[in-house]
Amino acid sequence: EAQLEESGGGLVQPGGSLRLSCAASGFTFSRHIMNWVRQAPGKGLEWISYINGDGSTTYYADSVKGRFIISRDNDKDALYLQMNTVRDDDTAIYYCVRGLFGSGSRPRFDYWGQGILVSVSS
Amino acid sequence: EIVLTQSPGTLSLYPGERATLSCRANQTINSDYLAWFQQKPGQAPRLLIYDASSRAAGVPDRFSGSGSGTDFTLTINRLAPEDFAVYYCQQYGISFTFGPGTTVDIQ
């Protein structure tokens, strides 16, 4: 069964940087698109970034565009999120999420990691 | 941007009752690319329904999804104690957006 495990979270000051990692196992990582989804404390879910299987295509939500960078290393079965110029409203649990294409052209989010907390505070 | 609205915000029911949750989009969702997730406290969301009406692997058949276009419904027949949770709808037709969630709690 697919497993995803995030790491690298913690406390960071406003304006600082942090790099999240997600270790994937139990499936052929390079064949799947991957996403980051976050959830602020007590709030709902927000998709923030997408990367295709070979890393050549990325998308971002407007809230993080220009500040966050998604990447992957298929040799290491790893997904990353480089978070730069963080703000207070980036405080959230960050989930690594696998995308699965069915018969259609759009991927559903089928496996989620347990999430990692990022707290932005001075 | 496709905006999703969920109703009601909270649904208070007894175990064994039927839950009917609504998700409405501000524009047509392409090819009914609509999913439902369940989230329990301290846990990651879990995919229940995709493509509006297809159950994900391992999801009990008391969960069913319906609808098309802009109006979608998640129905939970005979609520089990473990079904009390927050439910989110998500569209993945154009980019990805989530609804604000519906809490199903015990009456």
Side-chain angles (χ1 to χ4, degrees):
Chain A
E1 181 175 300
Q3 292 193 350
L4 300 165
E5 184 172 359
E6 303 90 344
S7 61
L11 179 64
V12 58
Q13 293 187 336
S17 297
L18 200 64
R19 188 196 199 201
L20 304 183
S21 299
C22 171
S25 61
F27 65 101
T28 304
F29 182 67
S30 62
R31 293 184 182 174
H32 289 268
I33 68 101
M34 297 296 296
N35 300 271
W36 288 99
V37 174
R38 69 182 180 183
Q39 186 171 35
K43 303 297 184 183
L45 301 166
E46 179 190 19
W47 168 81
I48 59 170
S49 191
Y50 160 115
I51 188 167
N52 71 342
D54 65 8
S56 61
T57 300
T58 58
Y59 300 112
Y60 299 92
D62 287 345
S63 58
V64 306
K65 196 175 297 182
R67 300 187 300 121
F68 291 9
I69 300 171
I70 189 171
S71 63
R72 64 192 296 159
D73 184 336
N74 287 341
D75 291 333
K76 296 182 179 179
D77 291 347
L79 177 72
Y80 304 104
L81 185 69
Q82 178 66 41
M83 306 170 62
N84 299 321
T85 321
V86 297
R87 311 184 304 220
D88 289 352
D89 61 358
D90 293 321
T91 294
I93 294 172
Y94 285 74
Y95 294 101
C96 168
V97 186
R98 190 181 86 164
L100 178 65
F101 287 95
S103 58
S105 62
R106 298 288 296 170
R108 61 187 182 265
F109 290 7
D110 66 339
Y111 277 96
W112 296 59
Q114 280 304 297
I116 192 83
L117 178 63
V118 173
S119 296
V120 182
S121 176
S122 54
Chain B
E1 177 185 337
I2 296 180
V3 177
L4 301 177
T5 303
Q6 292 187 242
S7 61
T10 301
L11 196 53
S12 297
L13 295 168
Y14 292 101
E17 290 193 299
R18 172 183 295 176
T20 303
L21 287 66
S22 173
C23 177
R24 179 165 291 177
N26 66 340
Q27 59 184 280
T28 297
I29 296 175
N30 296 338
S31 301
D32 297 335
Y33 286 131
L34 191 285
W36 290 92
F37 296 87
Q38 175 193 67
Q39 187 178 34
K40 298 179 182 179
Q43 296 185 17
R46 172 197 179 195
L47 177 64
L48 297 176
I49 301 289
Y50 63 94
D51 296 351
S53 60
S54 296
R55 261 189 308 276
V59 175
D61 61 8
R62 62 179 180 273
F63 291 90
S64 63
S66 62
S68 66
T70 61
D71 291 295
F72 300 86
T73 299
L74 174 69
T75 302
I76 312 171
N77 287 311
R78 302 181 306 279
L79 276 165
E82 62 268 27
D83 298 338
F84 293 92
V86 180
Y87 293 84
Y88 294 96
C89 60
Q90 179 218 21
Q91 69 80 24
Y92 48 104
I94 298 176
S95 189
F96 309 97
T97 52
F98 291 89
T102 290
T103 300
V104 178
D105 64 16
I106 299 177
Q107 178 81 339

